[in-house]
Amino acid sequence: MENPIPSNPSRDRSRQGSVVSIRGSVVDVRFPRRPPGLYNRLTSGEDDGVVLEVISHLDDRTARCISLTSTQGLAQGEAVRDSGGPLTVPVGDDLLGRAFNVFGDPIDKKPPLTDAPRRSIHGEPANLAGQSVSSEVFGTGIKVIDVLSPLERGGKAGLFGGAGVGKTVLIMEMINNMVGQHEGASLFCGIGERCREGEELYREMKEAGVLDHTVMIFGQMNEPPGARFRVGHAALTMAEYFRDDARMDVLLLIDNIFRFIQAGMEVSGLMGQLPSRLGYQPTLGTELAELEERIANTASGAITSVQAVYVPADDFTDPAAVHTFGHLSASIVLSRKKASEGLYPAVDPLKSGSSMLVPHIVGERHYRIAQAIRKTLSDYENLKDIIAMLGMEELSRDDQRTVHRARRLERFLTQPFMVTEQFTGHEGRIVALAEALKGCERILDDEFSDRPERSVYMIGAIDEAG
């Protein structure tokens, strides 16, 4: 149902209030009678340029609001108008190929979507009875992910990695494969993105040819915390349209989920809430769950999410990290060391993992092969110090075989991407899980011990090995 605004006398469009206090992004507004309902959109200033959202009621006449725009120029006593409903964003197929801000306004210098229906950003999670209870693997066509840390359809995966290790390229390849394999839509949500990063990603996706199947929405780093706090909800409203109305599978990419928590922390302090451990908002768990629980699979489709996760000071006991990990079903860790060795995608197979990698979900054979790969690579890691000091010749024959096997596995788990063809000259490959498992199994069985390592480097299926 579009624009779900209940009939309520407290949402009378003609009602006006006035500003009584301003603290950064938090504004208190007094009304002559009852204040507007929670989450109502209020406007003030010249041309209604200041947009507020009601967060709480202080008393029977005063509403405490969070500003989604700059409050510069706003003064005490200034008139505030109640829109009569919550913040809304456009939905529909016309969104594909476009970039928006938290209000659903285009930021790509293209015409606005005047005819598109609009929906409230505050949707409810899918009813438990309507959610699919089967655990399905979401195939990405990327060997190292599908074999060692498979994603869950309708689940959430964390993408860990610093700058320059290939997060953006991996995200673009997932979007490209989403269109090719699942005939779905992709949605990129930038929370606290640098303006430069957003612009570069838009341009790169356009050049790679994946933009036409993607919706982009940004709450950038230079915007008020209110906009960064609500942009994730706006993105999920758009994603829910593609899942529930268009009946498509949706790939939702969020960069960075920590910035959502950080925006909530900024707002919480200004609202006068007592901080919890390490200065985080006392409502951290609830706010994150309200966002994450809307990511689910139903009978009509699924929203599968890949979320870039920043871990503060690499402290995995930090409350933000702990709460985020509680929602994730898979983790993909990118390694600068792998990238420096030319092993792309630079996924660290020993640090990455998935709750889906159990025999009753992926099957006994897949589980057995994945465990054998991990053991081989782990043994190789342990032997590296000996090799560095004494050389390969000092290893036993079995250890030498393990090293040869591991080095071929590392190279086979590399893959040329569709979106990098123009830069690398390698034709991109989408590899089915069955082909990826067959290749790993044959390498583990020492079928390629007499072939040079480069024969399995940057290929798709194992049959391409020269």
Side-chain angles (χ1 to χ4, degrees):
M1 187 174 75
E2 318 304 341
N3 293 329
I5 302 171
S7 56
N8 186 326
S10 72
R11 287 183 170 175
D12 183 355
R13 290 177 184 274
S14 64
R15 296 186 63 239
Q16 287 199 359
S18 58
V19 174
V20 290
S21 76
I22 306 164
R23 289 181 312 285
S25 293
V26 173
V27 180
D28 291 349
V29 184
R30 188 179 294 277
F31 287 82
R33 294 189 298 276
R34 287 178 60 196
L38 288 179
Y39 303 138
N40 263 29
R41 178 179 181 269
L42 313 180
T43 56
S44 184
E46 192 177 343
D47 299 325
D48 288 339
V50 178
V51 181
L52 310 172
E53 184 181 74
V54 178
I55 292 294
S56 65
H57 295 145
L58 298 183
D59 55 42
D60 60 352
R61 291 175 55 196
T62 311
R64 180 157 283 175
C65 309
I66 175 178
S67 175
L68 280 73
T69 56
S70 172
T71 54
Q72 192 171 3
L74 198 64
Q76 279 187 325
E78 193 144 349
V80 177
R81 289 160 288 282
D82 175 17
S83 71
L87 187 70
T88 60
V89 290
V91 294
D93 295 342
D94 293 339
L95 272 62
L96 293 170
R98 303 295 303 273
F100 301 93
N101 61 14
V102 67
F103 305 110
D105 301 328
I107 54 172
D108 53 7
K109 298 182 179 176
K110 293 180 183 176
L113 302 175
T114 50
D115 300 328
R118 298 181 76 89
R119 290 186 186 171
S120 165
I121 66 168
H122 298 284
E124 289 290 320
N127 191 306
L128 275 175
Q131 290 188 24
S132 174
V133 293
S134 61
S135 294
E136 285 181 65
V137 171
F138 179 86
T140 63
I142 299 169
K143 288 182 286 191
V144 66
I145 293 175
D146 288 347
V147 172
L148 293 173
S149 53
L151 306 189
E152 180 184 2
R153 183 173 178 267
K156 301 125 195 159
L159 182 61
F160 304 84
V165 292
K167 280 203 303 289
T168 303
V169 173
L170 194 59
I171 281 171
M172 289 196 299
E173 185 70 6
M174 283 184 180
I175 292 171
N176 181 78
N177 295 359
M178 179 77 187
V179 178
Q181 286 188 284
H182 299 272
E183 297 180 352
S186 300
L187 211 141
F188 182 88
C189 174
I191 305 177
E193 281 271 294
R194 295 176 183 86
C195 306
R196 171 187 56 78
E197 289 176 335
E199 192 275 333
E200 283 177 2
L201 182 66
Y202 180 85
R203 191 156 30 83
E204 286 172 9
M205 287 170 76
K206 194 171 185 179
E207 287 172 4
V210 298
L211 186 63
D212 290 344
H213 304 280
T214 309
V215 183
M216 303 181 80
I217 180 165
F218 292 99
Q220 296 171 129
M221 193 177 273
N222 62 328
E223 293 181 30
R228 286 179 270 128
F229 190 55
R230 289 297 181 216
V231 71
H233 297 272
L236 273 160
T237 298
M238 295 175 176
E240 284 164 351
Y241 163 82
F242 289 109
R243 179 191 68 189
D244 300 333
D245 295 54
R247 305 181 78 81
M248 298 164 81
D249 277 357
V250 184
L251 181 63
L252 173 65
L253 302 139
I254 301 176
D255 189 5
N256 188 304
I257 198 68
F258 174 76
R259 304 292 175 207
F260 166 77
I261 294 169
Q262 198 174 42
M265 183 168 67
E266 292 175 44
V267 171
S268 171
L270 293 167
M271 286 179 66
Q273 294 178 343
L274 284 173
S276 63
R277 189 166 154 254
L278 299 185
Y280 286 104
Q281 61 272 42
T283 50
L284 165 59
T286 310
E287 288 168 0
L288 188 62
E290 281 175 356
L291 189 75
E292 298 278 13
E293 290 303 311
R294 290 172 68 182
I295 300 168
N297 55 344
T298 64
S300 55
I303 300 174
T304 303
S305 172
V306 178
Q307 308 173 10
V309 182
Y310 168 70
V311 180
D314 289 335
D315 177 13
F316 284 80
T317 64
D318 187 276
V322 170
H323 282 280
T324 304
F325 295 148
H327 293 279
L328 301 179
S329 56
S331 54
I332 302 163
V333 180
L334 297 180
S335 156
R336 193 171 301 281
K337 186 166 175 291
K338 296 281 179 194
S340 67
E341 292 170 5
L343 301 173
Y344 287 105
V347 175
D348 189 323
L350 295 176
K351 291 182 181 173
S352 304
S354 169
S355 61
M356 301 294 285
L357 196 58
V358 287
H360 66 274
I361 294 178
V362 297
E364 194 66 47
R365 176 170 172 262
H366 183 166
Y367 177 75
R368 181 174 44 78
I369 292 171
Q371 293 302 100
I373 293 169
R374 281 189 198 283
K375 185 180 184 308
T376 304
L377 294 176
S378 178
D379 290 346
Y380 174 43
E381 202 64 34
N382 294 334
L383 291 168
K384 279 183 178 177
D385 286 343
I386 299 172
I387 296 168
M389 287 187 290
L390 304 174
M392 279 279 287
E393 294 74 22
E394 297 302 313
L395 296 180
S396 68
R397 193 170 292 263
D398 281 348
D399 284 346
Q400 285 185 21
R401 271 200 291 268
T402 298
V403 171
H404 289 309
R405 211 175 291 143
R407 289 181 63 84
R408 281 161 180 77
L409 279 171
E410 280 184 337
R411 279 145 186 78
F412 177 65
L413 292 174
T414 61
Q415 188 169 336
F417 281 175
M418 301 279 190
V419 296
T420 57
E421 282 180 6
Q422 54 191 326
F423 309 113
T424 62
H426 290 283
E427 188 182 338
R429 296 281 189 275
I430 296 176
V431 183
L433 175 62
E435 288 292 334
L437 289 173
K438 184 174 85 171
C440 292
E441 195 171 37
R442 288 177 66 184
I443 291 171
L444 287 165
D445 290 341
D446 287 335
E447 281 190 38
F448 290 83
S449 56
D450 57 339
R451 306 264 190 99
E453 291 170 3
R454 67 175 181 274
S455 67
V456 292
Y457 177 67
M458 280 293 172
I459 61 171
I462 194 70
D463 297 337
E464 295 176 29

